[in-house]
Every structure is written in structure tokens, then in C-alpha cells.
């Protein structure tokens, strides 16, 4: 197992591993605090809009597929398809954020703020930090779409897949494990 | 595996997750976390090309599995 066996830039893998560790620490802390009030956590979690999270999963994995298609097209030298793929990936990211804004608005309207319950503190921190990564990822994808250099597009797509990866891992503890 | 197949696999796993969302108990929780691990595996190997890096796939997937077991353990306590 050598560093050069890693696909793409090793520094991207350092970033992916460190982001996974940060989110894993957050989710583990939430699971630990939940032990002090399992019923309260379950009741708080039951107030979330699970269907919006499901919709966002479909949006994000589709967006990830578009980024992967863009990466392959760029390696083939097909700049047009690469740009279309990156644009669609960005559009997916924007769709994800739009759903998230609606979800937060509904939560806040229902009086479910960050201090309503410890569960909501973790919920807003974890999903908010992830949403910030989505926003940053859209910027990264837009930037790499300008020059369309294969190694830059691969790095941008890798960041986007990391955002996707984090989402599928935080989804069950945050939304589903009542 | 082609990108379309990976995408369809991820959508299928996500649909299974949604279907299981209404189930309760330790078995359902374990199933949801297994589905999350399978999605992570599909993204790491299919989109991030980790299947090409000998040994690295296990270096990511095994700790991920251990962490999910930890989360399950904390959940069922």
C-alpha cells in the first residue's frame, strides 16, 4: 500500500480522511449525548422532515454522478460534455441547498431552534457544516470548469464526492436512528 | 462498474434506506447503517476510484465499518 497507489492527488485524500474524521467525531458525540436522554432525542428527531433528507440524497448522488461524468469527459478531451457535467453537478448542489433552506425554514417556523433540544444543536451543526461544504463545493466545481484541466477537474470532483460521502454517512444517525 | 450502474445502485440503496426509515429496533438500525456503508463503498470505489488503489480501499472501508458498528452500539445501549 503506497501513497502513489491512491487515485488522484494524495492531498485530496488527506482532506477526505480529515473531513470524514471531523464529521465522525460530531456524530459520535451526538450518539454519546443521546445516551443521557434517548426518549428526548427520539422525540426531537421525529419532528424532522425525513422525506426532504431522502430527496436531498437522490439530488446529491445524481449530482455526484454528473461530476464523475464531467471528470471522464475531461480526461477524454470532451470539453463541452465536461462543462455540462460540472454545470449539472453545480445545479444539483444548488437544488440540495434550496431543499435545505426550505427544511430549515419549516423547522424554525415550528419553533425548532438550535437550543430547543441538544439533538437540534447537533442537527444544525452537522447539517449546517455539511451545507457549507456543499456551498464551497459548488464554488470549486465552478472554478475548475473555467480552465478544464483534467487534474483540476478530478480534484474538484473528488471534493464533491467527499461531500456526497459525508451526507450518506450522517443521514442515518441524524435523521433515521430514532 | 459503469457510472450509470453506480448511480442506479446508489438510488436503489437510498430507496431502501427510505423504506426502512419507518422501521424501529436494533435490527432496523443495523440495516440502515449497513446501507450507509454500502453507499459509502459505492462512492469510494465507483466515483473516487478507490478500487484502483490496492490496499487503500480496505484502509477506508474497514475503519468506516468499525465506526458504524460503534454508532450502532451507542444507539442500542
Amino acid at each position: 500500500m503506497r501513497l502513489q497507489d491512491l487515485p488522484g492527488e494524495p492531498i485530496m485524500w488527506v482532506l477526505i480522511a480529515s473531513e470524514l474524521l471531523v464529521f465522525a467525531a460530531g456524530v459520535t458525540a451526538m450518539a454519546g449525548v443521546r445516551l443521557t436522554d434517548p426518549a428526548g432525542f427520539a422525540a426531537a428527531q421525529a419532528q424532522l422532515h425525513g422525506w426532504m433528507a431522502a430527496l436531498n440524497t437522490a439530488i446529491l448522488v445524481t449530482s455526484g454522478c454528473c461530476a464523475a461524468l464531467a471528470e471522464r469527459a475531461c480526461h477524454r478531451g470532451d470539453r463541452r460534455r465536461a462543462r455540462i457535467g460540472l454545470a449539472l453537478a453545480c445545479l444539483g448542489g444548488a437544488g440540495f441547498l434550496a431543499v435545505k433552506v426550505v427544511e430549515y425554514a419549516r423547522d424554525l417556523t415550528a419553533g425548532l431552534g438550535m437550543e430547543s433540544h441538544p439533538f437540534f444543536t447537533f442537527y444544525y451543526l452537522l447539517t449546517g457544516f455539511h451545507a457549507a461544504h456543499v456551498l464551497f463545493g459548488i464554488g470549486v466545481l465552478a472554478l475548475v470548469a473555467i480552465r478544464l484541466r483534467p487534474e483540476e477537474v478530478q480534484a474538484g470532483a473528488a471534493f464533491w464526492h467527499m461531500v456526497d460521502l459525508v451526507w450518506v454517512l450522517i443521514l442515518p444517525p441524524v435523521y433515521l436512528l430514532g | 462498474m459503469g457510472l450509470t450502474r453506480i448511480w442506479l445502485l446508489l438510488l436503489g440503496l437510498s430507496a431502501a434506506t427510505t423504506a426502512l426509515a419507518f422501521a424501529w429496533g436494533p435490527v432496523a438500525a443495523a440495516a440502515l447503517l449497513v446501507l450507509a456503508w454500502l453507499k459509502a463503498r459505492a462512492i469510494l470505489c465507483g466515483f473516487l476510484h478507490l478500487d484502483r488503489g490496492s490496499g487503500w480501499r480496505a484502509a477506508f472501508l474497514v475503519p468506516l465499518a468499525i465506526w458504524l458498528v460503534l454508532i450502532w452500539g451507542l444507539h442500542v445501549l
Side-chain angles (χ1 to χ4, degrees):
Chain A
M1 195 166 74
R2 299 166 307 169
L3 205 58
Q4 56 264 41
D5 291 335
L6 276 170
E9 289 293 324
I11 193 69
M12 278 310 297
W13 286 99
V14 173
L15 178 71
I16 290 168
S18 55
E19 292 286 353
L20 284 174
L21 285 170
V22 167
F23 278 96
V27 170
T28 309
M30 183 181 78
V33 175
R34 180 187 165 279
L35 292 174
T36 62
D37 179 20
F41 266 68
Q45 193 180 50
Q47 297 180 76
L48 294 181
H49 308 283
W51 67 271
M52 285 195 177
L55 173 65
N56 260 347
T57 307
I59 290 173
L60 212 52
V61 298
T62 304
S63 172
C65 186
C66 292
L69 285 168
E71 184 192 340
R72 288 193 183 185
C74 194
H75 276 284
R76 285 197 313 268
D78 189 342
R79 295 171 67 84
R80 186 176 160 272
R81 279 181 191 271
R83 279 220 169 88
I84 290 171
L86 289 170
L88 288 173
C90 287
L91 194 65
F96 178 94
L97 289 176
V99 172
K100 205 82 210 122
V101 166
V102 172
E103 188 184 348
Y104 282 157
R106 284 185 169 206
D107 293 337
L108 293 169
T109 306
L112 306 172
M114 207 167 181
E115 292 171 9
S116 305
H117 186 274
F119 169 77
F120 283 106
T121 310
F122 284 106
Y123 162 71
Y124 282 110
L125 282 175
L126 288 166
T127 60
F129 192 43
H130 177 265
H133 280 74
V134 173
L135 189 62
F136 184 72
I138 292 171
V140 169
L141 292 178
L143 273 178
V144 300
I146 295 170
R147 294 201 300 186
L148 276 183
R149 293 189 177 167
E151 62 278 9
E152 291 175 3
V153 171
Q154 185 179 24
F159 184 88
W160 198 243
H161 299 317
M162 180 269 290
V163 169
D164 201 357
L165 180 62
V166 166
W167 177 253
V168 300
L169 288 169
I170 68 170
L171 179 81
V174 172
Y175 284 90
L176 306 173
L177 300 181
Chain B
M1 196 189 284
L3 287 178
T4 308
R5 284 185 68 183
I6 297 163
W7 174 62
L8 289 173
L9 172 67
L10 283 165
L11 286 182
L13 291 168
S14 302
T17 302
T18 306
L20 266 175
F22 302 101
W24 292 84
V27 177
L32 285 167
L33 293 172
V34 167
L35 287 168
W37 185 83
L38 289 171
K39 280 185 269 185
R41 185 178 181 274
I43 292 167
L44 282 165
C45 297
F47 288 164
L48 282 163
H49 318 293
L50 208 58
D51 48 351
R52 295 181 201 160
S54 59
W56 286 106
R57 182 171 63 172
F60 273 83
L61 289 173
V62 172
L64 215 52
I66 293 168
W67 174 68
L68 288 170
V69 169
L70 170 71
I71 294 300
W72 179 80
L74 287 170
H75 176 73
V76 298
L77 268 179

